Amino acid sequence: MDYKEEYIKKNPTLHIEDAPIKFNEIKYELVRLNKVKSILDVGCGAGVLTKMITDFLNPEQMLGVDISEKMIATANKLNVDKKIKYQSGDIYKFNTQTKYDLVTCADIIEHVDDDVEFLQILSKFGNRIVIRVPMEDCIFNYLFKKIGISDELKKTEEQYGHIHHYSTESFFNLINNAGLKVESYTLFRINKPRTWWVNEIVRKISNIVCLLSINLGVKLGGGFLVVTIKSN
């Protein structure tokens, strides 16, 4: 998917409305950190989540990077107090001498071709990575495809450009394959109502299971993983 044009056309709200949900989940890992003086936010989009993280941690330096110039233009318009510096560019070509205290990355890695390389690149930029990832490899999605009801994973690829679909286990294996280490993590149920009524029923069933076991609920109907990764 072309994230400079096609993605914005398919997702014209730029997921600004999702920023509070993302932040409330990421915050569970951020509170574990000691004083953070510098942050690099990779795939910052319109910058709403970037600002929430900045307001919460109050770093001396915050840089948001996104491949889309249109996203960065929106982020700069919203950057009223100018606490954050934004830069448009490809993270694979990003060049900096700064080793940030923290790299944040929300809902990005599922879009990239080589996810192992992507994690390794992030680890070069910071001492720690806090990353949020959708857990789409779940039992209901598998069953829907198996019995011919719907291919939900294909839908996320067409609408959002998701080319990787993780479970908790597969993402932890990915971190290990990248030569990195999980420091802590938190699992979350799907808090946003689903548009298709069948998915909404699944969400409600899974959320009930999550009250008993968050691991089982996410494995059943999906959710989100926020994990703190220690760089080498």
Side-chain angles (χ1 to χ4, degrees), residues 155-200:
K155 287 181 181 179
T156 65
E157 181 179 346
E158 293 172 348
Q159 181 68 29
Y160 307 116
H162 293 189
I163 57 176
H164 301 288
H165 309 284
Y166 302 107
S167 64
T168 308
E169 294 79 7
S170 68
F171 196 74
F172 285 162
N173 286 336
L174 174 68
I175 294 170
N176 185 60
N177 291 338
L180 303 173
K181 182 181 178 181
V182 173
E183 195 164 76
S184 60
Y185 72 94
T186 314
L187 276 170
F188 297 91
R189 65 187 187 180
I190 298 174
N191 288 303
K192 183 179 179 180
R194 309 295 297 276
T195 53
W196 185 34
W197 67 272
V198 176
N199 276 338
E200 179 61 7

Side-chain angles (χ1 to χ4, degrees), residues 22-202:
K22 294 179 181 180
F23 173 70
N24 286 332
E25 294 176 358
I26 291 172
K27 187 168 65 175
Y28 276 79
E29 289 299 309
L30 297 182
V31 296
R32 303 176 193 266
L33 304 175
N34 295 322
K35 175 62 179 175
V36 175
K37 294 182 178 180
S38 58
I39 305 173
L40 172 66
D41 188 25
V42 176
C44 64
V48 179
L49 178 59
T50 313
K51 186 178 188 311
M52 290 178 175
I53 294 171
T54 303
D55 291 344
F56 183 71
L57 292 179
N58 195 29
E60 296 173 7
Q61 180 184 5
M62 168 63 100
L63 174 63
V65 177
D66 198 278
I67 197 170
S68 169
E69 293 179 0
K70 290 185 178 180
M71 289 281 199
I72 293 299
T74 301
N76 277 319
K77 287 179 182 178
L78 298 174
N79 190 24
V80 179
D81 52 18
K82 305 300 179 185
K83 285 184 178 180
I84 306 164
K85 181 181 178 182
Y86 289 107
Q87 180 177 327
S88 174
D90 188 339
I91 197 64
Y92 290 93
K93 300 175 183 177
F94 182 65
N95 188 20
T96 180
Q97 300 301 315
T98 303
K99 184 77 170 181
Y100 292 86
D101 291 337
L102 176 66
V103 176
T104 55
C105 185
D107 299 11
I108 299 297
I109 193 169
E110 63 273 14
H111 299 266
V112 303
D113 291 327
D114 191 332
D115 47 5
V116 171
E117 180 189 14
F118 183 76
L119 277 182
Q120 291 170 337
I121 288 173
L122 295 188
S123 72
K124 293 178 182 179
F125 298 139
N127 297 316
R128 281 182 174 80
I129 305 163
V130 171
I131 190 167
R132 180 183 188 262
V133 189
M135 300 285 99
E136 297 171 332
D137 183 5
C138 63
I139 292 172
F140 271 117
N141 282 346
Y142 171 80
L143 287 176
F144 284 171
K145 182 177 180 179
K146 187 74 174 179
I147 63 180
I149 293 178
S150 175
D151 189 342
E152 291 300 296
L153 302 186
K154 185 66 175 177
K155 287 181 181 179
T156 65
E157 181 179 346
E158 293 172 348
Q159 181 68 29
Y160 307 116
H162 293 189
I163 57 176
H164 301 288
H165 309 284
Y166 302 107
S167 64
T168 308
E169 294 79 7
S170 68
F171 196 74
F172 285 162
N173 286 336
L174 174 68
I175 294 170
N176 185 60
N177 291 338
L180 303 173
K181 182 181 178 181
V182 173
E183 195 164 76
S184 60
Y185 72 94
T186 314
L187 276 170
F188 297 91
R189 65 187 187 180
I190 298 174
N191 288 303
K192 183 179 179 180
R194 309 295 297 276
T195 53
W196 185 34
W197 67 272
V198 176
N199 276 338
E200 179 61 7
I201 291 173
V202 168

Side-chain angles (χ1 to χ4, degrees), residues 206-221:
S206 300
N207 285 354
I208 291 171
V209 176
C210 282
L211 296 175
L212 304 174
S213 169
I214 186 66
N215 288 285
L216 182 58
V218 170
K219 186 175 290 187
L220 183 67

